[in-house]
Amino acid sequence: MTVFDPARRLLSMLGVAPHARGTLKGSATKAWAVTETDWMKSLSDRDMQLMGQICPPRPFARGERVFRHGDPAGCLYILLEGHVKLAQPTWLGGERVISVCGPDDFFGENFLTGADQCLADAVCLSEPTVVCPVSREQFLEVAARLPNVALTFAMVLARRNADLEAKLHVMTQPVQIRLARVMLELAARLGEEVGEGVYHLKIDLRHDEIASMAGASRVSATQAISAWRTQELVLGTRGDYRVNVPGLAKFIERLELEALE
C-alpha cells in the first residue's frame, strides 16, 4: 500500500520510514515499554474497529509468554486487557523485572528500537490477557489509512521522554524511597480504587520481583512492605494488596525531606 506524504513524514519523524530499520542495530540494552499511554481513550470507535482489522488482537493465558528473551524482534505490542511482566534473565538463573504493563501500554522490541532480538521475556500475569501485535508493515498501513492513530502514537512517545528523565532521578534515591515509588506507581496505574485514596492491587508479583523493579534486594522489599503494614500504608498479602496511595505519597515525601537533611 502506498503511504501518502503526510504519513510518510510522520513515519520519518518516528524513525520507521521504509529505509530506517537497522539504524539502531545492537544499540538497545533494555526491554522497551511505554506505560500510561491512554491510547484507547484517544481513538474513535471507527479507529478501533479498523485497527482491529489491520492488527487482529490475540488472547493469551496466564503464565503464557507473548515472546521470549532472544526471540526474533519485529512487532510492537499494544496491551488491550490484562497484565504483562517484562523480565530479563540474570547470570545466576533468576530474573530481573523491568516493568509491568497494563491495558493501553506498549511493549516489545520492534521497528522503533531497531533491535534484532527480544531483550526480555513477556509473561502474562492474568487471564485473559489480550494483546494486539503490530508489525512494521501493519503500522505503515495504519499510518496510511488512520493518520490520526499514528499521530497519537507519536504524542505518546514524546511524553515517554519526560517520563524517562523522571525515572532516572528516582533511581538515584535511597532504596526505601525507590521501593515505595514502585508500589505507589503500580497501585495508582494498575489498581482499582475501592475507597477514598485506597487502591486494590491484585497482581501476581513476588517480593523479589517488586524489589528488582526498584533495583533493591528481596530482603529490603520484604522489610519495607512489613513496615508499611504496621503503618497501614499497605495491607494484604503477596499478589493482593490494599494500598493507601495518599499515605504512601506522604511517606515518600517525608523520606525525601529526611534525605536532604
Side-chain angles (χ1 to χ4, degrees), residues 130-253:
V130 181
V131 175
C132 179
V134 184
S135 69
R136 180 173 169 278
E137 289 73 21
Q138 288 170 322
F139 188 85
L140 288 170
E141 184 174 352
V142 169
R145 297 176 62 183
L146 299 167
N148 180 60
V149 173
L151 179 60
T152 300
F153 188 82
M155 293 170 64
V156 166
L157 293 184
R159 289 200 304 267
R160 179 175 181 264
N161 288 335
D163 292 341
L164 287 176
E165 291 181 3
K167 288 181 179 179
L168 284 174
H169 170 68
V170 168
M171 292 310 293
T172 64
Q173 295 180 320
V175 63
Q176 288 287 335
I177 296 177
R178 300 201 306 270
L179 285 165
R181 284 194 176 277
V182 166
M183 181 62 76
L184 182 66
E185 188 260 349
L186 287 173
R189 183 165 61 87
L190 303 178
E192 178 185 0
E193 189 170 14
V194 293
E196 189 174 351
V198 177
Y199 284 71
H200 179 207
L201 177 63
K202 189 172 178 62
I203 191 166
D204 188 16
L205 285 178
R206 305 184 305 271
H207 286 183
D208 62 307
E209 293 176 313
I210 293 174
S212 67
M213 294 179 70
S217 68
R218 181 193 62 79
V219 173
S220 296
T222 300
Q223 290 175 343
I225 293 172
S226 177
W228 298 337
R229 285 197 186 100
T230 63
Q231 301 173 65
E232 297 188 347
L233 297 175
V234 177
L235 301 176
T237 58
R238 191 197 81 179
D240 196 337
Y241 299 102
R242 294 290 194 282
V243 182
N244 181 342
V245 168
L248 197 57
K250 290 180 180 178
F251 174 76
I252 293 170
E253 184 179 356

Side-chain angles (χ1 to χ4, degrees), residues 15 19-27 111-114:
H19 60 276
R21 181 168 177 80
T23 56
L24 299 178
K25 182 176 180 181
S27 63
F111 47 80
L112 291 174
T113 66

